[in-house]
Amino acid sequence: MTRGPGGKSMTRIRRNGAFYVAIAPFLVIFLVFSVFPVVFSFYLGFNRWDGFSDPEFVGFANYAQALRDPVFQKAIGNTVYLWFWSTLVTVGLALVLAVLVNEYVLAGKTYFRMVFLLPLLVAPAIAAIILRVFFTSNGGLVNLLSGAVTGTPSYFDWLGSEAWIKPLVVLLVVWRWTGWHMIIFLAGLQAIPRDIYEAARMDGVGRWPIFSRITVPLLLPSLAFSIITATLGGLQMFDEPYVLTQGTGGTNNAATTLGMYLYATAFTQFNFGLGSAVSWYIFAAVVVFTVVYQAIVRRSQAGAAA
Amino acid sequence: MRKLLANRERRFNLLVTAALAVVSLLFVLPLYWTTVFATRTLSEVFQFPPPVWYGGNIVQNYFNIANVFPPFRPIWNSLIVAVPKTVGLVLVSALAGYGFARYTRAPGHRLLLVMTFATLFFPPSLALIPFFLQMSWFGWLNTFWPLIVPALASGFGVVWMYTYIGSTVPRELYEAAEMDGAKGLATFFFVVLPIIRPGLAALAVWTLISTWNDFQLPLVVLAEGSRFTVPLALTMLSTTHYSDMPAVMLATLMGLVPVFVLFALLSRQFIAGLTSGAVK
């Protein structure tokens, strides 16, 4: 047996044989069902294909076609709106709730930790159904209540309204996710040493400066994790607007997201090439957001350390 | 002076607690009303003021659902998908996580680990269309296989178990097991698995619940109503029979019960799972 230049690494591979056995099930399934589709999606993005006839290479035509489509342009705007407002409200509310529960609640801390999590157990699709029932124009709870307040029966079509459908989606996301972010923040708060607060209080620092100058900067890692997670979900939002608008995207596509646009092009128009191009736009958005956000966090952490 | 301050502080805390209690009730209210509506008749639901307590129409509402589809069918379908997927995903992830945590000097370790972390930032929508085509080539459309087999390889699960094993299993344990003559896989099954049970449980609960709530993937691969999982069946019911609110609410409630029972039993593991991702 000859010892080639790779002989040393061969013995290292053999010595660590169990490593490859241990990761093999994961790696094989992952290559077949995740890596292959992603590569194939890249190929599809440059082809026109309905799934039956031969794919036809069209270069960047799909990417250009998407950009020209007014529905796609609207979907970008809707997605950014839904991502921004749902992230801002959810994270903001969760932060306030977590700090209040951690610092000022007298009794029932366990109750507060649990109760806000309950909506997360409800599937987005199911939550959307519940919301639909409450906001139905004819006999929905919200119209009944507003009718009782104003004295005239109300039949306002919340779900068909272009102005209201997006805030309703945001409401849905906030309802489901606030508890999750709150748990993340509570874990982060518990990692902050108590004596910092004691010292600040002894020096007569008020509640607001303690929150804005001590709590928030020390909670930055949790905040970063929380915002990134909300962003990854927000840019791909599908279930909530889909079920809330019963797959239509709402009046004039008022709630059509990029995820819904992708679904419609691929699975109702069978334009797999265009759909794949859209999925790469979503991917690009995720990459841009992640990189920008990490740069911001790194800079602010460096600033806090200095 | 000091007593006055303490008093003022106490009053503030009391106020905060009361306000939080009110907010928490707002969060639960939709769920509570779902249970109330599920037991009422259609005309009672339309009344003003709306019913705030339970009625006696639950059996009739059940039969109204049964006219559309067998009410327990979607729950059964969801179980057939969620349970095997969870068991498989947890095992595959734990095994890979163990490999990554223990054999840090194996050639290719770093590259593969970085790739696994990178998958967390890959939006699933990127693979959706080709995945659908792939499933049709496999002849798997309208079966449960696409929801179970591909899901066994979860980058999220592997990262989770890698982090968990790295922080709970001391390296000396591997050396001790090796001295006793245990091979890599034997060490995993007999030494590591028993130690990491809490981590396995946390990942299992999280996987079960998120699988139960999955919507887009089942929507894409399942065609026949008799195979619909809970969220799909409910969406169908609420579009075709939206006027029968109590029946929709009862069906919704039935689909929620398994998840809430699971949460009641394993809420500690569930919460531990949520925070493990944040602490890296």
Side-chain angles (χ1 to χ4, degrees), chain A residues 12 18-20 22 30 32 37 41 97 104-106 111 115 121 123 126 138-139 144 148 175 180 236 239 246 267 275, chain B residues 12-14 17 20 24 27-28 46 48 50 95 99 103 105 107 119 123-124 126 129-130 132 134 213 215 239 252 274:
Chain A
R12 261 179 71 202
F19 170 69
Y20 305 99
F30 189 73
V32 175
S41 159
L97 287 174
Y104 303 111
V105 154
L106 296 171
Y111 163 79
V115 71
L121 305 178
I126 297 181
N138 186 11
L144 285 178
W175 182 62
W180 184 87
Q236 300 181 63
D239 298 7
Q246 299 195 322
F267 300 110
Chain B
F12 179 79
N13 290 357
L14 208 65
T17 312
L20 280 174
S24 77
F27 269 73
V28 192
F46 280 119
F48 196 87
L95 195 56
Y103 301 98
R105 300 169 104 173
T119 61
L126 202 53
I129 294 168
F132 168 81
Q134 193 182 21
N213 294 344
F215 179 72
T239 12
T252 303
L274 296 187

Side-chain angles (χ1 to χ4, degrees), chain A residues 23-229:
Chain A
I23 64 165
F26 165 69
L27 210 60
V28 170
I29 303 174
F30 189 73
L31 282 174
V32 175
F33 295 107
S34 294
V35 175
F36 167 73
V38 167
V39 173
F40 190 45
S41 159
F42 190 70
Y43 165 81
L44 278 179
F46 295 106
N47 285 271
R48 181 150 298 146
W49 199 34
D50 57 7
F52 298 104
S53 50
D54 286 335
E56 177 200 348
F57 182 80
V58 292
F60 282 94
N62 288 322
Y63 290 88
Q65 188 189 342
L67 285 185
R68 280 194 309 268
D69 185 350
V71 180
F72 180 76
Q73 294 164 4
K74 194 153 191 186
I76 294 179
N78 290 340
T79 307
V80 170
Y81 177 105
L82 293 175
W83 158 75
F84 180 80
W85 287 108
S86 60
T87 304
L88 185 74
V89 179
T90 310
V91 173
L93 183 62
L95 180 63
V96 171
L97 287 174
V99 169
L100 290 180
V101 167
N102 197 51
E103 302 290 315
Y104 303 111
V105 154
L106 296 171
K109 273 196 184 180
T110 322
Y111 163 79
F112 286 120
R113 283 170 67 93
M114 294 290 178
V115 71
F116 291 105
L117 269 181
L118 294 180
L120 186 63
L121 305 178
V122 182
I126 297 181
I129 292 172
I130 295 177
L131 198 76
R132 276 192 72 85
V133 169
F134 290 148
F135 281 87
T136 305
S137 58
N138 186 11
L141 203 56
V142 175
N143 275 346
L144 285 178
L145 286 174
S146 68
V149 171
T150 57
T152 46
S154 166
Y155 297 97
F156 185 70
D157 187 9
W158 298 89
L159 300 158
S161 147
E162 273 185 73
W164 278 100
I165 192 70
K166 278 197 283 281
L168 285 179
V169 175
V170 171
L171 177 69
L172 198 54
V173 176
V174 171
W175 182 62
R176 282 194 72 244
W177 282 99
T178 298
W180 184 87
H181 293 275
M182 187 180 150
I183 291 290
I184 300 295
F185 293 147
L186 279 172
L189 286 171
Q190 255 129 48
I192 300 177
R194 300 296 315 167
D195 28 331
I196 297 183
Y197 289 109
E198 301 296 328
R201 223 163 279 165
M202 293 287 254
D203 291 348
V205 183
R207 290 191 189 98
W208 174 251
I210 287 184
F211 174 76
S212 61
R213 299 276 181 77
I214 299 177
T215 307
V216 170
L218 286 174
L219 213 55
L220 266 185
S222 304
L223 269 168
F225 176 73
S226 174
I227 292 177
I228 275 292
T229 310

Side-chain angles (χ1 to χ4, degrees), chain B residues 244-279:
Chain B
D244 193 353
M245 277 187 223
V248 171
M249 289 315 223
L250 180 61
T252 303
L253 194 59
M254 289 174 62
L256 289 178
V257 165
V259 185
F260 277 83
V261 168
L262 194 73
F263 180 73
L265 294 175
L266 296 164
S267 57
R268 206 138 51 93
Q269 279 83 349
F270 183 73
I271 292 179
L274 296 187
T275 44
S276 78
V279 188

Side-chain angles (χ1 to χ4, degrees), chain B:
Chain B
M1 180 67 193
R2 172 159 277 195
K3 202 169 172 199
L4 196 75
L5 257 174
N7 250 339
R8 194 183 287 168
E9 197 138 301
R10 233 191 116 67
R11 206 172 307 147
F12 179 79
N13 290 357
L14 208 65
L15 205 72
V16 166
T17 312
L20 280 174
V22 173
V23 176
S24 77
L25 286 183
L26 283 179
F27 269 73
V28 192
L29 202 62
L31 291 175
Y32 173 71
W33 242 316
T34 304
T35 66
V36 170
F37 277 21
T39 64
R40 289 286 181 165
T41 67
L42 191 55
S43 58
E44 284 170 337
V45 166
F46 280 119
Q47 269 167 15
F48 196 87
V52 291
W53 192 245
Y54 300 100
N57 205 48
I58 189 166
V59 176
Q60 184 55 48
N61 292 338
Y62 178 83
F63 285 121
N64 290 349
I65 309 169
N67 282 336
V68 188
F69 61 76
F72 284 95
R73 187 56 159 281
I75 295 176
W76 176 242
N77 290 343
S78 280
L79 279 174
I80 295 183
V81 171
V83 173
K85 170 180 155 181
T86 300
V87 173
L89 184 149
V90 169
L91 264 181
V92 170
S93 304
L95 195 56
Y98 161 75
F100 280 124
R102 176 172 177 180
Y103 301 98
T104 47
R105 300 169 104 173
H109 172 277
R110 213 189 131 67
L111 179 72
L112 289 166
L113 188 61
V114 168
M115 271 170 49
T116 309
F117 269 91
T119 61
L120 298 185
F121 293 95
F122 265 72
S125 51
L126 202 53
L128 188 67
I129 294 168
F131 180 77
F132 168 81
L133 297 167
Q134 193 182 21
M135 291 304 108
S136 82
W137 299 330
F138 279 40
W140 280 5
L141 286 185
N142 204 26
T143 72
F144 295 134
W145 295 116
L147 306 177
I148 300 171
V149 178
L152 298 184
S154 152
F156 173 71
V158 174
V159 167
W160 181 321
M161 289 319 302
Y162 163 73
T163 323
Y164 191 83
I165 293 173
S167 64
T168 50
V169 182
R171 293 204 68 87
E172 297 83 58
L173 209 63
Y174 301 137
E175 283 148 34
E178 208 165 334
M179 298 268 255
D180 290 344
K183 290 271 198 294
L185 287 186
T187 309
F188 172 72
F189 282 108
F190 299 113
V191 181
V192 174
L193 267 193
I195 301 179
I196 60 169
R197 268 201 304 237
L200 298 176
L203 180 58
V205 182
W206 179 247
T207 308
L208 269 175
I209 292 178
S210 55
T211 307
W212 196 270
N213 294 344
D214 257 352
F215 179 72
Q216 193 176 24
L217 211 53
L219 176 74
V220 167
V221 298
L222 298 177
E224 229 172 285
S226 65
R227 291 184 193 256
F228 279 4
T229 53
V230 169
L232 273 188
L234 287 174
T235 309
M236 186 193 76
L237 180 73
S238 78
T239 12
T240 52
H241 286 71
Y242 65 93
S243 52
D244 193 353
M245 277 187 223
V248 171
M249 289 315 223
L250 180 61
T252 303
L253 194 59
M254 289 174 62
L256 289 178
V257 165
V259 185
F260 277 83
V261 168
L262 194 73
F263 180 73
L265 294 175
L266 296 164
S267 57
R268 206 138 51 93
Q269 279 83 349
F270 183 73
I271 292 179
L274 296 187
T275 44
S276 78
V279 188
K280 253 189 278 184

